[in-house]
Amino acid sequence: MFMKIFLQKTILFSCALIAMGGTVRADEGMWVPLLLQRNQAQMQRLGLQLTADDIYSINHSSLKDAVVIFGGGCTGEVVSDQGLVLTNHHCGFSYIQYHSSVEHDYLTNGFWAATMDEELPCPGLAVRFLKEMRDVTHSMLDGIDARYTENQRRDSIQARGKRLSEAFSQEGKTEVKVVPFYYGNQYYMFIYEVFTDVRLVGAPPSNIGKFGGDTDNWMWPRHTGDFSVFRIYAGKDNTPAPYSPDNKPYKPLRYLKIDLRGYEEGDFTFVFGYPGRTQEYLSSFGVRQILEQEDPMRIAARTARLEVIKAAMEKDPAVRIQYAAKAAGIANGWKKWIGEVKGIQRLNVIGSKQDYEKIFEDWTQSLNGEPYAGVLPALKKAYEEMAVCQTEAIVFQEHILAPEAVGFAYSFKKLCRVSKGEETGMKLEEALAECERKAEKFFKDYNAEVDRAIFERMIFQTHADGSFTQVIDFPDKNVGKAMETFYGKSLFTDPDRLRSFLNRYNAASYKEIEKDPLFKYADEVYGRYLHAVRPLVLQCQKQIDSLQRLYMKGQMALTESGDFATVMRVGLKPVGPLRNVGSEQLYPDANFTLRVAYGKVAGFSPADAVYYRPYTTIEGIMEKEDPGIYDYVVEDRLKELYANKDYGRYANALGEMPVAFVGTNHTTGGNSGSPVLNGEGNLIGINFDRCWEGTMSDIRYDSEMCRNIMLDIRYCLFIIDKFAGATRLVEEMDIIE
Ligand code: ARG
Ligand code: ASP
């Protein structure tokens, strides 16, 4: 019935497509490898010389067998038949830090294992290979009644997911995840092989791997040599095994060949990796919440916190080292959100979503009996309800927890519970030992004066906002006095006080913890958050999730309907989901599952009269050099290679040493470390960032302004080979010249 009504419009739609030059969309989208057949023709038209089956197959080795989840939130790729893995420096950072000490400062000086025996085990690090993904939508959703309550639905889905995982996982070898797509309208199962013996092989000095630091982060032009090198080790039969000196380098099903022939502007590229999270299908209300509430609150809080930390880091070199990683983490989100807000405003995302919503509502009118009518007003209401508790949740995360001693003090609640016999799963000695380890780790990178300054700053700032007082009354209403007690007397702000307390700890000592002023404060704020704020947030979130699932289903149905004429009738420029109307599929939002994003090498114009070329060279490193600024120090050895133009086979056709390049591949956090491949499927770069003007791509992609930033593989190999002399690693690789 629906088809008939829209038949005429469908004809119009085809004409419109032709008028738009066939709309080959070459950039937006993070596509599911299992379904890549659908993109194959387009990808080949754009320059891919492979088939979808060469990229993802479970019948024979394919490129997917060379791509791994690296650690908890990055991607990596295998580049030799001996399990050598490349990822970003910022992805390997914590493992490089773990092995660093004053005597062996690998962060500063870099690290290169001269032989396999020198490669360093990294406890806690795992890589995961995807063996197979399957559409399990039927097993997960069949028979789930639309009349189920959200709780019934959730329970049923959890039980089904668990059954599937159990049926397919092998203890200690594979791991199975069942993941919702399209907000729970589809489900896929992922079977991973997990290797836990992964060793650090090499890392450049930080002034190469982090060159430009936070100043250049999220920015183009970029000159960061953001890579590090690891190796996967396997047990007998080349299968996963816990660390053992007897393990052997893993023989992969597939490794990537490295192409030194470079690229030209306009060349086809694809990024194969694990994008973490995008939200392209939100309603205008959802975007408004991010634009007007979430981002501004978080930005303001972090601006204040960073001011305090940066000032302290500048004054004291010890603090600079202690707070470097923390500051980088805080600044990373902060800078991204600032770019995101600007991008959402510039593209008028709310306005165009509202236009789309009008079309959506018109369309639902034409479908009598379909369930989508009313979903948008309901979403609007749900976001209004969410706004109130969301404010408090953000205050808690960004303000209350900003002084680290608060969370640290609260973490001793477990020790109290064990001491009181309220938690029987753990012995007192174990709990105590855990606290001792935690304390040692905490105080290593902690400065009480800095923490106190953060506390004071955040409290006053929140008072000025008027929001903090809604959350909790501050003890005595006297900040100065409270600070004196927290930082002058509490157990949790001084390593010696805490150590001597833990040394004389007995089962009755928990009373001292419970009397500690900072612990009391922490317990109160956490109590308020966990028992009053968070349940409300979860409640609101559940409602939004369920409505968003329905809205997503509607958006997919509208897309499949091919009702492009409605769009043309209201004279809209197709944006967001509308761009894909009639193209029969919407790509699912990122959810940290393997995806293919494809586009081309392309410069861009971020501002009036400004044009950015798509690649940088070592010239830019020398231009940026400033021995007085930590982020811009250049190694003598690099200067020497530069002075002699000693680039070997890694120079480009013009004799330049390329460093980084940008393209239109649609990527997000998690794609860091992802392989960047050319039309032949060979490695030409390592993804590591996006340009600042395009960070709204998590919400709305814009091919004019969104660029992913990639390390040129030639610079990576130049550093390994020429700079560090770790030629044995390059010899393992399969290199095309
Ligand atoms: N912006 C990149 C990403 O989101 C790199 C972050 C690490 N670098 C830094 N300076 N904080 O992961
Ligand atoms: N830098 C990000 C990452 O670490 C990538 C991005 O957000 O584009 O995954």
Side-chain angles (χ1 to χ4, degrees):
M1 206 229 15
F2 173 58
M3 282 308 295
K4 221 194 278 170
I5 296 175
F6 285 99
L7 187 60
Q8 207 190 345
K9 291 178 176 172
T10 311
I11 296 169
L12 267 173
F13 160 65
S14 318
C15 301
L17 260 192
I18 293 162
M20 291 170 70
T23 53
V24 173
R25 298 194 39 74
D27 33 53
E28 179 170 358
M30 301 169 168
W31 304 97
V32 176
L34 176 66
L35 308 175
L36 209 60
Q37 293 295 349
R38 297 178 183 171
N39 302 75
Q40 179 178 294
Q42 188 195 49
M43 289 175 82
Q44 289 174 340
R45 209 157 41 233
L46 294 167
L48 179 71
Q49 294 171 39
L50 309 172
T51 63
D53 200 49
D54 296 327
I55 296 173
Y56 175 91
S57 169
I58 53 168
N59 301 319
H60 51 80
S61 88
S62 57
L63 290 177
K64 82 141 177 36
D65 297 314
V67 181
V68 295
I69 298 180
F70 184 88
C74 279
T75 307
E77 53 275 4
V78 183
V79 292
S80 88
D81 64 357
Q82 301 180 69
L84 201 65
V85 170
L86 294 178
T87 187
N88 289 146
H89 185 266
H90 78 263
C91 295
F93 192 82
S94 58
Y95 307 100
I96 308 167
Q97 182 175 42
Y98 171 84
H99 287 292
S100 294
S101 60
V102 180
E103 302 83 61
H104 303 285
D105 188 351
Y106 301 143
L107 278 179
T108 305
N109 305 320
F111 167 75
W112 302 98
T115 61
M116 281 190 189
D117 287 341
E118 288 182 15
E119 298 177 355
L120 299 170
C122 300
L125 174 60
V127 301
R128 289 169 166 76
F129 285 91
L130 177 63
K131 302 314 291 176
E132 182 180 356
M133 66 177 291
R134 275 191 210 182
D135 186 345
V136 292
T137 307
H138 286 300
S139 325
M140 291 297 290
L141 295 182
D142 282 359
I144 288 198
D145 200 296
R147 286 163 304 187
Y148 274 23
T149 65
E150 266 312 284
N151 286 346
Q152 284 170 325
R153 185 189 149 95
R154 185 201 54 212
D155 291 347
S156 169
I157 284 185
Q158 266 174 8
R160 290 169 184 221
K162 192 156 169 263
R163 241 177 289 143
L164 275 174
S165 308
E166 280 165 7
F168 286 91
S169 62
Q170 278 173 281
E171 187 64 33
K173 301 276 182 207
T174 62
E175 195 178 87
V176 177
K177 290 234 152 73
V178 177
V179 186
F181 278 61
Y182 301 104
Y183 292 89
N185 285 292
Q186 291 178 14
Y187 280 84
Y188 285 83
M189 177 172 74
F190 294 81
I191 304 175
Y192 296 104
E193 194 170 24
V194 189
F195 287 84
T196 51
D197 185 354
V198 183
R199 304 185 195 170
L200 176 63
V201 174
S206 288
N207 59 26
I208 291 175
K210 261 180 85 81
F211 184 77
D214 281 337
T215 322
D216 283 11
N217 191 23
W218 297 115
M219 304 281 246
W220 184 255
R222 191 67 157 276
H223 300 86
T224 313
D226 198 345
F227 78 93
S228 55
V229 192
F230 289 80
R231 191 189 305 280
I232 307 167
Y233 282 78
K236 277 197 256 23
D237 315 325
N238 201 33
T239 58
Y243 169 79
S244 154
D246 302 332
N247 285 348
K248 295 270 170 311
Y250 170 65
K251 297 248 166 282
L253 286 174
R254 182 68 172 257
Y255 61 89
L256 300 178
K257 291 185 185 159
I258 291 170
D259 202 327
L260 296 184
R261 293 170 302 175
Y263 43 78
E264 304 263 312
E265 177 148 27
D267 278 0
F268 176 80
T269 54
F270 67 108
V271 174
F272 201 10
Y274 284 85
R277 181 167 190 238
T278 58
Q279 308 180 82
E280 311 285 343
Y281 306 103
L282 291 181
S283 61
S284 60
F285 320 111
V287 176
R288 190 183 290 285
Q289 194 220 32
I290 294 172
L291 180 70
E292 291 176 3
Q293 188 190 18
E294 202 170 326
D295 281 0
M297 278 187 75
R298 291 192 197 277
I299 292 165
R302 290 193 181 198
T303 305
R305 180 147 55 130
L306 283 166
E307 268 170 29
V308 177
I309 297 178
K310 292 250 156 91
M313 283 170 74
E314 256 160 56
K315 270 213 322 255
D316 182 348
V319 173
R320 190 179 55 66
I321 294 169
Q322 284 184 314
Y323 280 72
K326 293 179 195 177
I330 300 166
N332 195 41
W334 169 80
K335 195 161 178 182
K336 187 196 128 167
W337 296 319
I338 296 174
E340 186 170 87
V341 165
K342 282 187 194 261
I344 293 174
Q345 282 166 338
R346 189 175 45 77
L347 292 175
N348 184 20
V349 176
I350 293 188
S352 70
K353 290 257 176 193
Q354 285 168 337
D355 291 340
Y356 174 76
E357 284 159 12
K358 279 196 215 94
I359 296 166
F360 184 87
E361 297 222 288
D362 274 2
W363 171 75
T364 59
Q365 299 300 315
S366 67
L367 320 164
N368 18 17
E370 279 297 326
Y372 315 118
V375 68
L376 283 164
L379 266 170
K380 178 166 189 281
K381 195 162 150 278
Y383 277 106
E384 279 161 8
E385 284 166 16
M386 177 66 129
V388 183
C389 44
Q390 183 81 350
T391 300
E392 294 203 16
I394 297 173
V395 166
F396 180 75
Q397 293 158 4
E398 299 285 343
H399 292 237
I400 308 243
L401 293 189
E404 292 174 280
V406 177
F408 179 61
Y410 185 73
S411 73
F412 280 72
K413 201 173 167 84
K414 186 167 166 195
L415 181 61
C416 294
R417 293 174 53 82
V418 173
S419 308
K420 289 195 270 187
E422 288 172 6
E423 201 163 306
T424 46
M426 200 177 214
K427 288 203 206 85
L428 185 58
E429 305 83 79
E430 282 168 7
L432 202 54
E434 192 180 279
C435 285
E436 276 160 359
R437 280 196 302 273
K438 213 161 45 190
E440 196 184 326
K441 195 159 167 238
F442 178 78
F443 284 114
K444 180 172 170 280
D445 290 331
Y446 179 78
N447 178 301
E449 253 171 69
V450 179
D451 206 43
R452 174 178 175 157
I454 293 174
F455 206 138
E456 284 172 2
R457 179 66 188 268
M458 299 317 287
I459 293 298
F460 286 124
Q461 154 126 4
T462 34
H463 271 295
D465 287 353
S467 46
F468 182 72
T469 39
Q470 289 170 23
V471 180
I472 197 97
D473 276 335
F474 199 73
D476 299 340
K477 299 250 182 269
N478 182 338
V479 175
K481 226 169 89 192
M483 289 305 118
E484 285 304 314
T485 353
F486 289 175
Y487 290 92
K489 298 212 174 75
S490 166
L491 292 169
F492 304 105
T493 49
D494 183 274
D496 296 332
R497 278 200 293 270
L498 186 61
R499 206 172 297 124
S500 77
F501 171 68
L502 291 177
N503 283 344
R504 59 180 161 80
Y505 196 90
N506 64 49
S509 305
Y510 73 86
K511 290 186 191 136
E512 271 181 74
I513 297 181
E514 290 186 341
K515 273 201 316 237
D516 186 278
L518 185 56
F519 179 84
K520 269 162 63 182
Y521 168 78
D523 198 31
E524 203 179 332
V525 284
Y526 265 95
R528 160 91 194 170
Y529 175 73
L530 293 174
H531 303 301
V533 178
R534 197 155 159 268
L536 275 180
V537 173
L538 292 179
Q539 185 62 31
C540 293
Q541 193 57 54
K542 200 155 64 182
Q543 204 181 346
I544 290 175
D545 289 348
S546 127
L547 291 165
Q548 182 67 31
R549 184 169 69 238
L550 184 59
Y551 182 42
M552 185 74 237
K553 191 171 175 192
Q555 295 183 71
M556 290 159 81
L558 172 58
T559 301
E560 277 155 26
S561 76
D563 183 18
F564 199 74
T566 314
V567 186
M568 303 312 272
R569 177 166 50 76
V570 288
L572 285 176
K573 189 170 156 236
V575 286
L578 279 182
R579 287 169 158 173
N580 296 46
V581 166
S583 74
E584 90 193 65
Q585 60 168 335
L586 294 178
Y587 62 91
D589 266 324
N591 54 6
F592 206 57
T593 61
L594 187 59
R595 300 293 177 88
V596 173
Y598 53 93
K600 56 175 189 275
V601 178
F604 66 111
S605 173
D608 189 32
V610 180
Y611 172 74
Y612 284 149
R613 195 177 69 179
Y615 71 97
T616 56
T617 68
I618 199 168
E619 296 294 333
I621 298 179
M622 302 305 153
E623 284 169 10
K624 283 179 178 172
E625 187 198 3
D626 186 337
I629 300 179
Y630 181 72
D631 287 343
Y632 296 110
V633 175
V634 178
E635 292 279 315
D636 289 340
R637 169 87 186 123
L638 195 61
K639 284 194 264 192
E640 188 187 310
L641 290 163
Y642 168 73
N644 299 328
K645 301 279 170 286
D646 187 3
Y647 310 142
R649 57 178 172 164
Y650 306 113
N652 68 13
L654 301 171
E656 304 162 322
M657 184 65 248
V659 174
F661 62 116
V662 282
T664 59
N665 310 286
H666 189 182
T667 55
T668 187
N671 269 123
S672 273
S674 299
V676 181
L677 303 141
N678 62 12
E680 293 167 43
N682 299 320
L683 191 68
I684 56 169
I686 306 175
N687 190 74
F688 70 96
D689 211 2
R690 278 172 286 160
C691 74
W692 195 60
E693 296 80 1
T695 50
M696 73 297 176
S697 66
D698 292 347
I699 290 161
R700 166 65 54 76
Y701 181 89
D702 170 26
S703 56
E704 309 252 296
M705 215 62 109
C706 292
R707 293 292 178 274
N708 66 314
I709 305 181
M710 305 162 270
L711 174 69
D712 194 302
I713 202 66
R714 292 170 292 190
Y715 185 60
C716 172
L717 264 56
F718 163 76
I719 294 295
I720 296 177
D721 188 1
K722 288 273 181 184
F723 173 85
T727 309
R728 71 166 183 120
L729 301 178
V730 176
E731 283 165 357
E732 270 181 49
M733 303 176 191
D734 210 332
I735 294 176
I736 305 166
E737 290 181 70

